[in-house]
Amino acid sequence: MNFRVLQHAAFEGPGEIEAWATRHGHSVSVHHLYRGNSLPRLDAFDVLVVMGGEMNIYQYRDWLWLKPEREFIQFALAQGKRVIGICLGAQLIADALGARVFQNTEHELGWLPITWTDEARVAFPGLPAVTTVLHWHGDTFELPSGSTRLAASEGCPEQGFLIRNKCLGLQFHLEVDPLLVKEFVDGQGQWPTGPYAQSPETILSKAASYCDRNRQLLHGMLDRFCG
């Protein structure tokens, strides 16, 4: 299959998503929208991957490609392309499907647990009841119509959604490895505060212990969603 990745920030690359695709013999091309790269042609890919970024989906004046990207995601979904969204990417998919995206009560930033729903564990066998994942967001979304709720955390009730054979949205980051985590920390501007915001030192010190297990979970989910 052909994968096209929409990347919004230098420090938020596809990571283990690209590693999984390459291992399975799929082609991967990254479109760096923050550098002015154009959107791909709809006939050039089978799977669209929409990554995270420091912007909000409604900052159209600051990030001129956000509105065309939203429309492009709508077209891709309407054409039967499979779409995967991570953090901002999940919010963009939710918005493209008509769901509300808004500021979460708290920032979530750091290694915090999520609880998978029963429906998620049916859709993706092998998921544990609880996983500690990397969060890096201040906004959230309502579930798109017809989607399955995947997970929740103490600080944010909506952590992911699935529409089979159509889209997979995750509010958190399973795709990171320790080097990518360091890029997240180094790329962060103003550091948020609150009960769900960890220090840079804490985030970096915990990366190695969580990344390997989360890589295995992500690869298992991609096996099911893209298989």
Side-chain angles (χ1 to χ4, degrees), residues 108 111-122 124 126-135 137 141 143 148-161 169-172 174 196 214 217 221:
E108 284 188 309
W111 297 101
L112 302 164
I114 58 164
T115 300
W116 298 100
T117 63
D118 291 341
E119 292 81 3
R121 298 175 73 191
V122 170
F124 300 106
L127 288 178
V130 177
T131 303
T132 297
V133 299
L134 184 67
H135 300 263
H137 71 104
F141 47 75
L143 286 182
T148 297
R149 185 170 181 251
L150 293 181
S153 70
E154 185 177 290
C156 184
E158 301 301 347
Q159 288 287 353
F161 58 86
L170 302 177
Q171 185 81 272
F172 46 88
L174 293 178
Y196 306 109
N214 288 352
L217 294 180
M221 296 178 77

Side-chain angles (χ1 to χ4, degrees), residues 1-154:
M1 291 189 293
N2 294 316
F3 283 66
R4 295 295 180 267
V5 178
L6 305 183
Q7 187 169 330
H8 308 107
F11 57 89
E12 293 209 33
E16 287 294 337
I17 298 174
E18 183 172 9
W20 175 90
T22 301
R23 190 183 77 185
H24 285 78
H26 306 310
S27 68
V28 180
S29 294
V30 180
H31 296 250
H32 297 268
L33 301 186
Y34 61 97
R35 295 179 185 167
N37 288 178
S38 61
L39 293 164
R41 301 191 322 271
L42 279 172
D43 62 358
F45 64 89
D46 306 291
V47 180
L48 182 69
V49 181
V50 190
M51 298 308 302
E54 72 268 32
M55 61 289 301
N56 307 108
I57 69 157
Y58 39 80
Q59 291 183 290
Y60 298 132
R61 289 179 298 183
D62 300 317
W63 310 92
L64 299 180
W65 37 262
L66 275 172
K67 189 170 287 186
E69 183 182 15
R70 178 192 185 278
E71 294 171 353
F72 181 77
I73 293 168
Q74 281 184 313
F75 293 148
L77 290 167
Q79 291 295 315
K81 307 293 184 177
R82 297 189 188 191
V83 184
I84 299 168
I86 304 296
C87 200
L88 172 71
Q91 296 162 13
L92 284 164
I93 295 171
D95 184 49
L97 292 172
R100 188 168 71 101
V101 178
F102 55 98
Q103 289 185 338
N104 194 44
T105 305
E106 302 282 354
H107 282 90
E108 284 188 309
L109 197 148
W111 297 101
L112 302 164
I114 58 164
T115 300
W116 298 100
T117 63
D118 291 341
E119 292 81 3
R121 298 175 73 191
V122 170
F124 300 106
L127 288 178
V130 177
T131 303
T132 297
V133 299
L134 184 67
H135 300 263
W136 216 274
H137 71 104
D139 283 3
T140 187
F141 47 75
E142 293 180 344
L143 286 182
S145 177
S147 67
T148 297
R149 185 170 181 251
L150 293 181
S153 70
E154 185 177 290

Side-chain angles (χ1 to χ4, degrees), residues 158-202:
E158 301 301 347
Q159 288 287 353
F161 58 86
L162 170 71
I163 301 178
R164 285 182 180 274
N165 301 316
K166 185 172 185 177
C167 61
L168 169 65
L170 302 177
Q171 185 81 272
F172 46 88
H173 297 270
L174 293 178
E175 80 283 2
V176 294
D177 58 24
L179 289 177
L180 199 51
V181 174
K182 188 176 187 306
E183 291 186 20
F184 273 47
V185 170
D186 292 344
Q188 178 66 25
Q190 182 179 358
W191 206 267
T193 59
Y196 306 109
Q198 297 173 348
S199 69
E201 295 77 15
T202 297

